[in-house]
Amino acid sequence: MVAISAEKTNAIQDIFSRDKVIIGVIHCDPFPGTPKYRGKSVSGIVERALRDAENYISGGVHGLIIENHGDIPFSKPEDIGHETSALMAVITEKVRERFGVPLGINVLANAAIPAMAIALAGGADFVRVNQWANAYIANEGFIEGAAAKALRYRSMLRAEHVRVFADSHVKHGSHAIVADRSIQELTRDVDFFEADAVIATGQRTGDSATMEEIDEIRAATELPLLVGSGVTPANVSQILGRTQGVIVASTMKVDGVWWNDVELARVKHFMSVAQAALEEA
């Protein structure tokens, strides 16, 4: 495969010290200022995040992503208040201090610059950015690629150690605006714009990417590839055979519903299946 961007070290190995990873997502409660916020104290929001982190880590996952998924409907990056960044930085630092595992940050929707600031302040290792290159029509409207501004901001902060995990053909939106370009071309754009890892997703939260799409993305880049939605005990072995990891949440929640608490028994069951696949790899 012809190189698309300057050679870089393997972000999965650098961050996690292993070849393949299982990453759990902490879906934070609604933050103050968002439509679903009902007055819960900051300490209560933090404690819920810490409980979910405890169940993930006790169940054996290798790292976590902290995400403001309770802030539905999500704002565009320029409309996200400073209170979101402040709260996420507090949560990130507390999770890092208590558990000491690799951490990522995802600020919805597509708020790469706040995510960089939170990662630096809270001590996270990477950010997830859903639209890194090109553009698409999301639930929030027109969303442009964040790479140019975000990488300049990272340079200004001297935070080059914060790596970028970027989606290709991201869920929750229409890609008609780039319909003349293949998934492989879109993936190469993410690589060309200096992402450190690529994420494949389905159409929405809890919906898995198809094996065909995973294979298309894998063929387009030498960057580490993860699947970021719809991974379950039923498909994790097949997915790990094609990728360097998975990002999971819903399947580890009570009743398999994303807004519920993380359930330790579900985490342990998932990890028992995943571990068998990891040992075979």
Side-chain angles (χ1 to χ4, degrees):
M1 184 182 297
V2 177
I4 299 168
S5 60
E7 185 177 351
K8 49 177 77 76
T9 60
N10 186 301
I12 297 299
Q13 292 178 343
D14 291 348
I15 294 170
F16 296 90
S17 299
R18 54 188 305 124
D19 294 329
K20 300 195 179 214
V21 293
I22 314 297
I23 304 172
V25 182
I26 296 174
H27 290 143
C28 294
D29 282 333
F31 290 153
T34 62
K36 291 185 176 294
Y37 179 68
R38 298 293 182 267
K40 190 172 188 177
S41 67
V42 169
S43 61
I45 293 171
V46 171
E47 284 304 315
R48 195 275 175 97
L50 290 171
R51 286 197 306 272
D52 280 354
E54 175 73 41
N55 284 330
Y56 276 130
I57 301 307
S58 296
V61 304
H62 307 126
L64 301 168
I65 292 175
I66 297 168
E67 183 176 278
N68 62 322
H69 211 324
D71 290 354
I72 293 174
F74 306 123
S75 295
K76 289 186 176 183
E78 62 270 21
D79 297 324
I80 294 173
H82 301 303
E83 67 281 355
T84 297
S85 298
L87 278 166
M88 290 187 72
V90 169
I91 292 168
T92 302
E93 182 177 29
K94 289 185 178 295
V95 171
R96 179 181 56 79
E97 287 181 344
R98 182 171 298 187
F99 301 104
V101 298
L103 297 177
I105 304 295
N106 189 16
V107 184
L108 302 167
N110 215 55
I113 288 176
M116 286 285 182
I118 294 161
L120 180 62
D125 304 280
F126 66 97
V127 299
R128 178 180 182 178
V129 184
N130 301 118
Q131 191 68 28
W132 186 243
N134 296 298
Y136 80 130
I137 306 299
N139 298 150
E140 300 78 28
F142 184 65
I143 300 292
E144 295 184 78
K149 290 182 179 179
L151 289 180
R152 284 165 174 78
Y153 183 69
R154 186 177 69 174
S155 292
M156 184 188 74
L157 295 180
R158 297 294 185 265
E160 287 82 2
H161 60 282
V162 177
R163 312 295 279 273
V164 175
F165 289 21
D167 291 51
S168 177
H169 210 242
V170 65
K171 60 189 175 182
H172 291 298
S174 168
H175 298 271
I177 196 169
V178 289
D180 60 333
R181 312 196 69 235
S182 68
I183 291 175
Q184 288 195 20
E185 288 173 327
L186 296 173
T187 301
R188 285 191 284 266
D189 290 340
V190 169
D191 189 335
F192 182 61
F193 271 19
E194 297 294 337
D196 297 289
V198 179
I199 301 169
T201 70
Q203 289 298 309
R204 59 188 55 84
T205 299
D207 182 32
S208 178
T210 66
M211 298 304 149
E212 292 76 15
E213 184 166 333
I214 293 169
D215 290 343
E216 277 192 83
I217 294 173
R218 175 70 290 161
T221 179
E222 294 182 347
L223 292 176
L225 172 62
L226 303 97
V227 171
S229 68
V231 184
T232 69
N235 63 18
V236 65
S237 297
Q238 190 177 16
I239 289 171
L240 284 174
R242 288 169 155 83
T243 69
Q244 284 66 61
V246 296
I247 299 169
V248 290
S250 298
T251 196
M252 295 184 177
K253 302 293 191 77
V254 173
D255 297 327
V257 178
W258 73 259
W259 57 78
N260 286 342
D261 291 341
V262 175
E263 184 177 338
L264 180 57
R266 281 177 169 263
V267 180
K268 288 183 175 180
H269 173 62
F270 182 95
M271 290 303 299
S272 68
V273 177
Q275 190 59 43
L278 292 172
E279 289 172 357
E280 291 176 3

